[in-house]
Amino acid sequence: MTAAARPDALKALETAAGGAGANDSLGDAFLRDGYVIRPAEDRDALLRIQRYMADSAAESLGMAPPADPTRFLDEIGKHVRPDGLNAFRLHVINRLNEADWARQAYFGLARRTIESIIGNELAMQRNFALSIQLPEDDSSLLPTHADVWSECSPFEMVLWTAFVDCFATKSMFVLPLAESRAVTERLADFERSGVEGLFHAIEDRVQWLDIPFGSFLLFNPSLIHGNRVNHERTTRWSINCRFKGLFTPYSDKRLGSFFDVLSMRPATRMALSYKLPGGFDD
Amino acid sequence: MTDAETRGGYRGYIGSRPVAGTRYPQRVQNLVVRDYAARHGLELLLSLTEYAMPGCYMMLRDALAELAHAEGLILFSLFMLPPDPERRQAVYREVFERGATLHAALEDLMVTGPEDLAKFEDILLVDAWLPHTPGRGYWDKAG
């Protein structure tokens, strides 16, 4: 698929998301697929984050702010080499993590969807993670995995947002939910062949997600996913950040060190500070 | 010369008990505190190490008393504060009355006055209730 086709991809998403019964079908789509892809709910916030990242990237390179952020990010491979990529990436994401408006802006990209699928008392990951995948660069790959196999709780959801058009190998792959469950059940069979062996066993069944700029992906951490070398001509830029119900079970990504309280309803706030009267003798 | 002018540095505070259910070696706690101080440009004074006895805060008491001469206190984690909200409020009061600041290195949080306290308290209050929620608030993968 070419970059020129992308506005059509976003338009199709917008039509699907805004169609009759769209809210009713959101939960069904999530339960069927383990993920949903939807248009960003706050376009201004999306553009603000993209502009801020592009300006931070230009600053890191000693360049003037770019006139066209999307094109600049897409073509960052003209200015950054793989051996300098991680320091560059850290500069950009540290700047965004320091911006006091960024967390609310990022949440705003998918607020209604998150509240519909997770709930409205929420914990949010404290720091964003940024992925930059240069064309043909094998230094920033994410091996095949499901997040719940490491530190994540199955109650978390990942909000993955594209800041350029992401498609084919420039995007990430998922193993469809039913297949993910089947492979998860027999994961021990792959102990000898390793993670790369696991990928080759599922390679013909994975789906490369089409996530145009202007949209987001919200997915469950039990879904098997990953990325491979980006064989497209332009660079992937995506941010991921986790959300979960405030009072749902945590795993080793804990409240405080990894998650922060994003939203708490007044009744909960009042209840948390209530103390029964004491001083009675039994 | 005022107290503020004679003050210097931030006292570290590490522990000998599990923190929020996890046992961190003191060497690791020191690394986290040192990294926090370096990233925020804070002069770190040698950390005090709380005793292992449950409910004991004798070292914290000394650290608070010392705030007349230090600029603040860097806890390894905010979960090292007393679990009782009223005892915590007493800690905060003492910090602010001395014009000092309170930091939590693991959580990368700081409070500089009463208006900041929700940063600590929201997390601590919610966490205190997690054992009473489904799954006792923890998804245990160890079986």
Side-chain angles (χ1 to χ4, degrees):
Chain A
M1 189 176 289
T2 65
R6 312 311 307 154
D8 290 342
L10 183 58
K11 193 156 186 67
L13 274 177
E14 286 167 347
T15 303
N23 287 337
D24 292 341
S25 66
L26 182 64
D28 293 338
F30 168 69
L31 287 171
R32 182 188 64 234
D33 300 328
Y35 70 88
V36 293
I37 300 174
R38 290 289 185 274
E41 295 168 10
D42 185 341
R43 178 86 183 170
D44 289 343
L46 181 76
L47 293 174
R48 185 180 185 191
I49 295 170
Q50 188 205 43
R51 162 56 70 186
Y52 195 79
M53 284 203 298
D55 288 356
S56 300
E59 172 193 72
S60 172
L61 298 168
M63 299 169 67
D68 181 344
T70 303
R71 183 170 179 183
F72 178 69
L73 297 177
D74 253 339
E75 298 179 353
I76 203 70
K78 291 179 179 174
H79 310 289
V80 179
R81 291 159 43 98
D83 59 1
L85 180 60
N86 198 43
F88 171 75
R89 185 184 64 82
L90 287 172
H91 174 87
V92 175
I93 198 59
N94 287 342
R95 288 296 307 272
L96 189 66
N97 279 321
E98 289 162 8
D100 58 6
W101 52 269
R103 282 166 57 80
Q104 281 298 329
Y106 193 80
F107 176 45
L109 302 181
R111 180 177 189 141
R112 289 193 300 277
T113 304
I114 287 171
E115 290 187 342
S116 175
I117 290 181
I118 304 176
N120 61 13
E121 292 196 304
L122 296 163
M124 178 180 178
Q125 184 173 327
R126 293 172 54 85
N127 291 308
F128 303 117
L130 170 65
S131 172
I132 305 174
Q133 263 197 287
L134 299 169
E136 308 304 330
D137 174 26
D138 63 2
S139 69
S140 304
L141 301 183
L142 196 59
T144 304
H145 69 289
D147 293 354
V148 288
W149 297 346
S150 51
E151 279 192 319
C152 295
S153 158
F155 290 84
E156 298 169 17
M157 291 283 286
V158 183
L159 177 60
W160 190 105
T161 306
F163 287 90
V164 290
D165 290 333
C166 291
F167 54 90
T169 56
K170 186 181 170 184
S171 183
M172 59 176 262
F173 68 80
V174 298
L175 186 64
L177 186 60
E179 303 260 15
S180 278
R181 285 176 172 153
V183 169
T184 297
E185 280 184 18
R186 57 185 187 89
L187 189 65
D189 295 350
F190 296 95
E191 191 172 9
R192 292 176 71 89
S193 58
V195 175
E196 193 60 14
L198 169 61
F199 175 74
H200 290 307
I202 63 173
E203 189 171 3
D204 59 343
R205 287 168 287 160
V206 302
Q207 295 175 342
W208 291 92
L209 298 179
D210 197 2
I211 311 169
F213 175 57
S215 61
F216 64 80
L217 161 72
L218 187 68
F219 71 96
N220 185 270
S222 66
L223 208 56
I224 294 174
H225 65 283
N227 64 27
R228 306 292 289 179
V229 172
N230 173 7
H231 292 305
E232 315 313 315
R233 287 181 301 174
T234 51
T235 297
R236 163 177 148 187
W237 287 72
S238 62
I239 284 180
N240 69 74
C241 181
R242 293 175 171 78
F243 294 83
K244 67 185 290 297
L246 188 58
F247 291 96
T248 60
Y250 293 74
S251 187
D252 293 323
K253 293 188 184 301
R254 307 300 285 264
L255 183 65
S257 51
F258 188 87
F259 286 102
D260 201 358
V261 178
L262 174 66
S263 53
M264 191 193 300
R265 296 298 161 195
T268 301
R269 188 172 291 283
M270 190 176 284
L272 286 178
S273 57
Y274 183 74
K275 195 174 175 185
L276 277 174
F280 298 97
D281 293 324
D282 193 8
Chain B
M1 192 174 277
T2 65
D3 269 0
E5 287 167 323
T6 59
R7 278 178 171 172
Y10 293 76
R11 179 64 70 193
Y13 177 72
I14 65 171
S16 310
R17 300 192 288 264
V19 176
T22 300
R23 194 174 280 282
Y24 298 89
Q26 289 176 356
R27 183 162 171 267
V28 172
Q29 295 183 52
N30 270 322
L31 282 170
V32 172
V33 170
R34 273 207 297 272
D35 172 67
Y36 176 89
R39 282 189 293 107
H40 291 273
L42 308 179
E43 182 196 346
L44 180 65
L45 305 173
L46 188 67
S47 288
L48 296 176
T49 305
E50 189 55 82
Y51 296 144
M53 295 78 79
C56 174
Y57 293 95
M58 291 169 67
M59 282 294 178
L60 180 60
R61 175 104 309 282
D62 280 12
L64 292 169
E66 196 196 38
L67 286 178
H69 309 292
E71 294 172 272
L73 184 59
I74 305 177
L75 313 170
F76 162 65
S77 166
L78 66 90
F79 290 98
M80 295 174 70
L81 290 168
D84 176 47
E86 288 176 12
R87 288 187 73 181
R88 281 202 304 275
Q89 290 300 330
V91 170
Y92 300 141
R93 233 180 352 260
E94 195 158 347
V95 170
F96 299 143
E97 280 172 4
R98 294 181 187 277
T101 56
L102 189 59
H103 305 253
L106 185 63
E107 295 80 15
D108 198 18
L109 290 173
M110 73 174 77
V111 290
T112 57
E115 67 282 359
D116 278 347
L117 274 182
K119 288 184 197 169
F120 276 28
E121 284 297 298
D122 280 0
I123 292 169
L124 291 170
L125 289 170
V126 170
D127 187 78
W129 275 96
L130 288 178
H132 307 285
T133 61
R136 298 186 178 180
Y138 184 68
W139 185 268
D140 189 356
K141 295 174 185 169

